[in-house]
Amino acid sequence: MNRTIVERVRCMLSHAKLPKSYWGEALMTAVYLINLSPSYPLQGDVPNRVWYNKDVSYDHLKCSGARPLFIFLNMKG
């Protein structure tokens, strides 16, 4: 998981052309988005939904200049 987080942080900083001083904010954002994403070990469920037993809303998320890319994976195998 650590490698996944670091790779996402590097991609966000690179894409946004931000200096390394934004590493902490990018790290928090990457972890937040991972916790809102379907997880294979949870059989496709979302970690935040499992931990807090509440439905997850994505209405507050905004794209920061990049075209969104949605990939739907078959989590059953």
Side-chain angles (χ1 to χ4, degrees):
M1 181 58 76
N2 289 339
R3 182 174 180 180
T4 301
I5 295 169
V6 169
E7 287 174 354
R8 289 186 187 200
V9 168
R10 286 181 181 161
C11 287
M12 282 192 287
L13 291 176
S14 173
H15 179 74
K17 297 182 175 86
L18 291 172
K20 290 182 181 180
S21 61
Y22 286 94
W23 182 270
E25 286 298 321
L27 175 73
M28 296 296 288
T29 302
V31 171
Y32 182 74
L33 292 174
I34 288 170
N35 287 334
L36 289 177
S37 303
S39 175
Y40 184 78
L42 297 175
Q43 290 75 39
D45 208 353
V46 177
N48 272 10
R49 185 180 306 135
V50 172
W51 292 329
Y52 301 114
N53 201 23
K54 293 182 181 178
D55 285 335
V56 177
S57 173
Y58 300 99
D59 295 336
H60 63 287
L61 297 178
K62 294 184 177 28
C63 188
S64 63
R67 288 187 341 202
L69 173 65
F70 297 96
I71 301 172
F72 295 95
L73 301 175
N74 180 357
M75 300 303 260
K76 294 182 180 177

